[in-house]
Amino acid sequence: MSMASSVDGALNVPIIDISAFRTGMGRREVASAVDRAARDVGFMQIVGHGVPERAEAGLATAMDAFFGLPLADKKAVRPESAAVNRGYTPPKTERLSHSLGIYSSDDLFEAFNVGTQASDFPDLSLDAAHYPANLWPSGPPGFQRAVEDWFRHAGVLARTMTRIFACALELPADFFVPYEDHSIDVLRMNNYQVPERDLRLEPGQLGMGAHTDYGIVTVLWADAAPGLQILDTGGHWHDVIPVPGALLINLGDLLARWTGDRWISTMHRVLAPVSVDGRVFRRRSAAYFHDGNADAVITTLPGRTASYEPVTVADHLAAKLAGSRGLELNPEAAREAARLRAAVT
């Protein structure tokens, strides 16, 4: 897979206003801007997205309240198995770089995950292994309502982006619909805050290890705080902090496969939340992963210079999650692993 390009050591993450596409008044211009960002960086900052500020405020409040609970209360909604990508993930229980086949120390973040469920599609006989039921805590008050509200808005934006992608790739407007009409979508709310007693870190330990996202597209809300970095073609890491009002959009592995690497599934990581002078700070993010239908077969589009073997969404996700959550080194990510090994730490 290709990588983000920098110029004179600086990496530009474009700001793109998609309101003209949403209203139908400037679709070609928006699609062209997205195509350039998808080729050059794989990340973009989206404004004019239509997600209301109240939904963002509600999500942030809900996250603060949940992550502020005692650890025992949070662990009460931990899934029985790491194979179930729902509920609470305690700190130091995942290793995202294992999804690339690269060994690392435990990642520092804690998380809470919700997603699409088999019961959301009553007319389909979906496997609950791919669409497990959500695990909701008994409190704090209003948590579920606020999270579900954000989940809906992020889902609408993700599907708006796939319509833009179809236009940018000169495909039929509804090209992605058969691949996403019962998509495995997961919202992962992340909290990066190292307790003072755990300030001593292992060498190279990260808030979240280097990885590419697995599916089609990610809608990312993040604090305007340092930590998120993306990797360029020269193997250098660059900070990314969203501008006010923007949501970060990045492309996943499946789009890189579809486009034969015309578009980038960008390597990224999150540094430990410790400043250069040793002070601990907090960083939050919420990533909505729009991954596609479990049974969809992803095949490189005709005429692309690079090609990948066809793979189902379910099989691709399983291999990646067995690494990050199951802590098994993924043997199916040789290209990505080579990129990470060559990076300047």
Side-chain angles (χ1 to χ4, degrees), residues 2 5 15 24-25 66 75 96 105 143 157 173 179-180 199 209 216 237 256 264 285 309 312 341:
S2 53
S5 300
I15 301 170
M25 300 300 291
F66 175 78
K75 284 187 173 180
L96 267 291
S105 302
F143 176 79
L157 177 55
Y179 300 94
E180 63 179 358
L199 185 56
I216 300 173
W237 293 99
I264 301 169
S285 68
E309 292 297 320
T312 65
R341 290 192 178 100

Side-chain angles (χ1 to χ4, degrees), residues 36-300:
R36 288 193 297 273
R39 288 173 182 256
D40 296 341
V41 188
F43 264 75
M44 56 200 82
Q45 304 187 70
I46 297 299
V47 296
H49 44 64
V51 179
E53 291 183 6
R54 61 154 183 83
E56 178 180 339
L59 174 70
T61 299
M63 290 173 61
D64 289 347
F66 175 78
F67 289 122
L69 293 174
L71 183 59
D73 292 351
K74 291 182 285 190
K75 284 187 173 180
V77 282
R78 189 178 184 183
E80 294 182 359
S81 166
V84 179
N85 196 19
R86 297 291 185 272
Y88 180 63
T89 297
K92 300 183 180 181
T93 56
E94 293 198 21
R95 300 175 181 178
L96 267 291
S97 69
H98 282 220
S99 68
L100 306 179
I102 301 290
Y103 177 83
S104 74
S105 302
D106 294 328
D107 293 342
L108 298 172
F109 72 94
E110 61 178 336
F112 187 84
N113 300 335
V114 300
T116 48
Q117 310 166 101
S119 60
D120 296 333
F121 307 97
D123 297 331
L124 303 176
S125 298
L126 299 180
D127 187 345
H130 303 311
Y131 302 87
N134 286 318
L135 303 172
W136 292 104
S138 57
F143 176 79
Q144 181 174 345
R145 182 175 64 254
V147 170
E148 288 180 334
D149 186 42
W150 182 263
F151 190 94
R152 284 191 296 271
H153 286 293
V156 170
L157 177 55
R159 287 165 174 80
T160 299
M161 294 307 302
T162 59
R163 293 199 302 275
I164 296 173
F165 296 159
C167 183
L169 293 168
E170 299 183 338
L171 298 169
D174 60 352
F175 173 83
F176 288 100
V177 173
Y179 300 94
E180 63 179 358
D181 55 6
H182 51 278
S183 178
I184 298 175
D185 289 358
V186 174
L187 174 63
R188 161 160 281 202
M189 293 156 276
N190 303 302
N191 187 48
Y192 302 88
Q193 188 170 29
V194 182
E196 293 288 346
R197 64 181 181 274
D198 294 335
L199 185 56
R200 185 176 300 170
L201 305 176
E202 297 179 34
Q205 193 165 29
L206 296 171
M208 183 177 286
H211 62 286
T212 57
D213 285 352
Y214 311 156
I216 300 173
V217 62
T218 301
V219 176
L220 179 65
W221 172 84
D223 278 328
L228 176 63
Q229 295 187 324
I230 61 180
L231 188 66
D232 72 8
T233 48
H236 295 89
W237 293 99
H238 298 265
D239 296 327
V240 178
I241 299 178
V243 300
L247 292 172
L248 291 170
I249 296 289
N250 65 282
L251 312 185
D253 298 340
L254 296 182
L255 264 183
R257 298 178 78 103
W258 251 316
T259 64
D261 287 345
R262 166 175 164 168
W263 286 1
I264 301 169
S265 179
T266 304
M267 190 86 66
H268 53 288
R269 67 183 184 182
V270 179
L271 301 179
V274 181
S275 66
V276 292
D277 59 0
R279 291 182 297 107
V280 173
F281 62 91
R282 186 181 181 207
R283 181 180 182 274
R284 304 165 298 172
S285 68
Y288 182 96
F289 302 109
H290 184 57
D291 291 343
N293 302 343
D295 55 353
V297 179
I298 309 304
T299 303
T300 303

Side-chain angles (χ1 to χ4, degrees), residues 3-15:
M3 293 182 284
S5 300
S6 61
V7 178
D8 296 328
L11 187 67
N12 176 42
V13 180
I15 301 170

